[in-house]
Amino acid sequence: MGQFLDKPQADPTIYTLAPLLQKSSQEQPNHALLLEAKALLLDMEELISSLQAYTPVSALIRTALTTPSDTSAQSAALQAVIPNITLIEKFHTLTTTSICPFFPKILSHLSGDNELANQPILAYKLTHLLQQIYKLDELKMGNPNLQNEFSFYRRSATKVSQGEGEDPLPISESKAGQISMWIANATPVAGGVCEVLKKEGQAEVENFGQVLVKCANMCTWISAKGGWVSIKDNVKFDGYNFDVKVNRDKQEELMFMAMAMCVVVVDRISKRGAFVKTSGIHLKKMLSVLNGGQGGQAEKAGEGGGEGARREKLVMGCKSRIRYSTLNIGKASTPAFVEDMLS
């Protein structure tokens, strides 16, 4: 793996994770941390599924807003929105009490010149965590009902008296205030992770940034050389059953989303940002890979029918995340090719 962490040769040997990932995780250092990461990933996956199934109650809320004197309409809307409010609270709680505190831990354990190579399973967990953060923030940005319905709940909860047999309100007024500020952030999960990382000492923040720089470059060069995991259908790794026929697409999604999130986090926690030449991120190669210019097997965006459409959506999402979720892009230090290749 080391050849993918620093500037690689002109034509680095294709790297495959398979022999490393099929080792038992008990053979790896920090076994307890691996188990913690696995549990967190399962919780995040469950939350993603719940957010994907989110059902808004917009019609009842519109009725309540247009008939403010109708107490039965107010009560009906409030009761209908409570399951969604409970899910939003779960989203907030998982982010603030599990995801954000875990990131300094995993980055600390991967700090060092060769730790991503020495602990490949933990490194692979890091890419999955970054991907899940990408997905959670994507679901938040793509569903304005989350913020709108929570705002309705917060306005209405103190006005509507609970009738007999009605469920109690799930969130206190003070907690609702905290969640309201949190969900106003366009990317609350990535934003929360960055704020937690920045609270560490300057030396630790620099180390965290270097881990993410190496992770971004690793994902870039694995994608560029087509170094996908090749695992037989009957082989399971940490509960995942890899299907060879669809595995490459899933891994491309994993690598692309993870490297986009690496850029976002590095840019937000580093004083210099991610777009200076000294950041260490192979930006030109990364953006070339996203634009379909790699020498690997992936098709270019826009080609190949359904596969092309899938990849185009993935590429545009990653490029948009880099463009709109970073803070330092567009400054004088940003190389001209960055904005050109993100367009």
Side-chain angles (χ1 to χ4, degrees):
M1 181 183 288
Q3 62 184 313
F4 285 95
L5 305 183
D6 300 310
K7 188 173 182 178
Q9 307 165 30
D11 185 20
T13 304
I14 291 177
Y15 174 68
T16 176
L17 289 165
L20 297 170
L21 294 183
Q22 291 186 56
K23 291 181 180 179
S24 170
S25 60
Q26 283 89 342
E27 298 175 12
Q28 303 297 314
N30 304 311
H31 178 54
L33 190 67
L34 284 169
L35 294 178
E36 188 177 352
K38 178 180 177 181
L40 178 56
L41 282 167
L42 292 173
D43 288 342
M44 293 171 80
E45 188 63 40
E46 180 183 354
L47 177 60
I48 287 168
S49 297
S50 297
L51 289 171
Q52 288 171 336
Y54 187 98
T55 304
V57 292
S58 307
L60 288 172
I61 290 177
R62 281 196 298 269
T63 300
L65 293 174
T66 54
T67 57
S69 60
D70 186 344
T71 57
S72 62
Q74 305 299 312
S75 181
L78 183 59
Q79 289 298 314
V81 84
I82 281 177
N84 289 345
I85 299 308
T86 302
L87 175 58
I88 293 169
E89 182 190 26
K90 180 180 178 181
F91 187 5
H92 172 263
T93 299
L94 185 66
T95 299
T96 56
T97 65
S98 298
I99 299 172
C100 291
F102 186 73
F103 255 77
K105 292 165 63 176
I106 190 170
L107 293 179
S108 293
H109 280 88
L110 289 171
S111 295
D113 292 341
N114 298 306
E115 287 309 305
L116 270 72
N118 293 336
Q119 301 186 68
I121 296 180
L122 192 61
Y124 201 56
K125 295 290 188 189
L126 175 61
T127 63
H128 274 287
L129 288 165
L130 291 164
Q131 180 190 38
Q132 299 297 67
I133 290 175
Y134 181 107
K135 289 183 175 182
L136 285 169
D137 279 340
E138 183 177 50
L139 287 166
K140 190 274 173 183
M141 288 189 289
N143 189 355
N145 291 302
L146 290 167
Q147 189 170 354
N148 294 340
E149 293 192 350
F150 196 85
S151 296
F152 170 79
Y153 169 83
R154 195 180 178 200
R155 289 195 304 268
S156 304
T158 56
K159 299 178 183 178
V160 178
S161 59
Q162 294 288 280
E164 185 176 351
E166 292 181 341
D167 294 332
L169 297 177
I171 304 174
S172 68
E173 186 176 353
S174 61
K175 183 66 176 294
Q178 296 172 16
I179 297 175
S180 183
M181 292 179 62
W182 171 82
I183 205 169
N185 191 326
T187 53
V189 189
V193 167
C194 292
E195 288 304 312
V196 168
L197 293 177
K198 287 193 293 185
K199 289 179 181 178
E200 301 291 328
Q202 184 59 38
E204 286 80 2
V205 173
E206 288 292 329
N207 288 335
F208 296 159
Q210 285 304 304
V211 174
L212 293 167
V213 165
K214 291 177 181 179
C215 184
N217 293 340
M218 178 186 72
C219 293
T220 296
W221 287 95
I222 288 176
S223 299
K225 301 306 297 182
W228 312 116
V229 182
S230 179
I231 299 180
K232 295 180 180 179
D233 290 351
N234 62 349
V235 175
K236 290 189 176 183
F237 170 66
D238 275 1
Y240 294 98
N241 191 9
F242 289 89
D243 184 340
V244 174
K245 295 178 182 178
V246 298
N247 197 26
R248 189 185 64 79
D249 290 348
K250 289 182 179 180
Q251 288 180 78
E252 182 177 65
E253 179 183 283
L254 168 65
M255 295 294 155
F256 281 16
M257 290 182 178
M259 66 190 185
M261 286 309 306
C262 285
V263 174
V264 170
V265 178
V266 169
D267 189 70
R268 289 189 176 197
I269 68 173
S270 169
K271 291 181 178 180
R272 299 168 298 176
F275 301 101
V276 294
K277 291 182 179 179
T278 55
S279 73
I281 299 175
H282 304 159
L283 284 169
K284 183 170 284 189
K285 187 63 180 182
M286 176 187 294
L287 296 177
S288 176
V289 167
L290 282 175
N291 285 324
Q294 72 274 32
Q297 303 171 8
E299 298 178 37
K300 294 183 180 181
E303 298 179 0
E307 164 60 19
R310 177 204 67 80
R311 194 173 191 276
E312 183 174 16
K313 181 180 179 181
L314 171 63
V315 167
M316 293 306 297
C318 291
K319 290 165 68 173
S320 294
R321 190 65 60 93
I322 293 171
R323 176 180 287 278
Y324 298 113
S325 294
T326 52
L327 303 177
N328 294 292
I329 193 169
K331 292 186 177 180
S333 58
T334 304
F337 73 80
V338 171
E339 297 207 44
D340 290 343
M341 296 180 79
L342 284 173
S343 62

